[in-house]
Amino acid sequence: MTFSLVGRCAETSMFGVAITTSSIAVASRCPWARAGIGAVSTQNVTDPRLGNQGLDLLAQGMSAREAMTALMARAPHPEHRQVTIIDAKGRTAHWSGAKTLGTNNVAEAEDCVAAGNLLQNADVPAVMARAFAQSKGRHFVDRLLLGLEAGIVAGGEMGPVHSAGLLVVHEQSWPLVDLRIDWSDDNPIRPLKRLWEDFQPQMDAYITRALDPNAAPSYGVPGDMPEQK
């Protein structure tokens, strides 16, 4: 019921997850990322606990593969879980339990791993990973979105998707990008892409407001008037 793309930008050291599913509010429970550490997607019959647990293992110095092995060795009901991980060096790992739903598959490419279940066809993850890998030079978030869109074009899920999300971390302890469409009767990738297009020009200003409010641009809302001189 879900397909996702987990990736790293080798140039900027950003990590992120792009994800979509047929159920509501996928971004509230499936994508996880931590600046300087890596990213995780936990899906299928989701156990959100695995996200931070996986990141904690990476933070201890484990590789993606080592972290996945340790994570799933102690995870409850691992047969129901589908999990992907990328670490700080761009190494990836994946797990699809024996009870992963429907047609499911995983594909890895440079600095990314894509996974899905209840898919129209088994090629969807490979198409997503290829779209990401072949889009070097684009903004990292655009690359994640390109992968997600490619998954839709390749067939996507067996049924319509209704929610989608983008989670990206960079240099701070909070997300650089955390955008989501929690429900759409139509394809949620389109409004998610529009949301990113609206957010991108303001993205850096929110970091400046947090770190150095005196240097931040005006908020551009009613009542926020520049000082008169």
Side-chain angles (χ1 to χ4, degrees), residues 13-51:
S13 296
M14 293 181 186
F15 299 95
V17 183
I19 191 166
T20 188
T21 190
S22 56
S23 58
I24 194 169
V26 66
S28 69
R29 59 188 176 273
C30 293
W32 306 85
R34 193 175 299 171
I37 301 300
V40 178
S41 180
T42 171
Q43 55 196 55
N44 194 56
V45 181
T46 303
D47 182 353
R49 294 173 294 184
L50 300 179

Side-chain angles (χ1 to χ4, degrees), residues 66-169:
E66 291 167 339
M68 183 67 79
T69 298
L71 181 66
M72 302 315 298
R74 68 191 191 195
H77 312 291
E79 68 275 12
H80 292 282
R81 316 305 182 192
Q82 188 175 50
V83 182
T84 54
I85 295 178
I86 192 164
D87 65 25
K89 295 183 178 180
R91 298 169 297 192
T92 58
H94 56 85
W95 169 275
S96 296
K99 293 187 177 180
T100 302
L101 297 169
T103 298
N104 61 88
N105 208 353
V106 181
E108 297 169 302
E110 184 179 2
D111 285 325
C112 74
V113 54
N117 54 80
L118 283 177
L119 299 170
Q120 283 279 5
N121 63 79
D123 295 332
V124 170
V127 172
M128 295 171 67
R130 186 163 57 248
F132 177 89
Q134 292 178 347
S135 58
K136 286 184 178 180
R138 302 282 298 271
H139 193 285
F140 179 57
V141 177
D142 291 326
R143 297 178 69 194
L144 291 173
L145 277 169
L146 283 169
L148 210 55
E149 290 176 314
I152 291 286
V153 172
E157 281 194 41
M158 288 291 293
V161 291
H162 291 297
S163 69
L166 280 168
L167 177 64
V168 173
V169 296

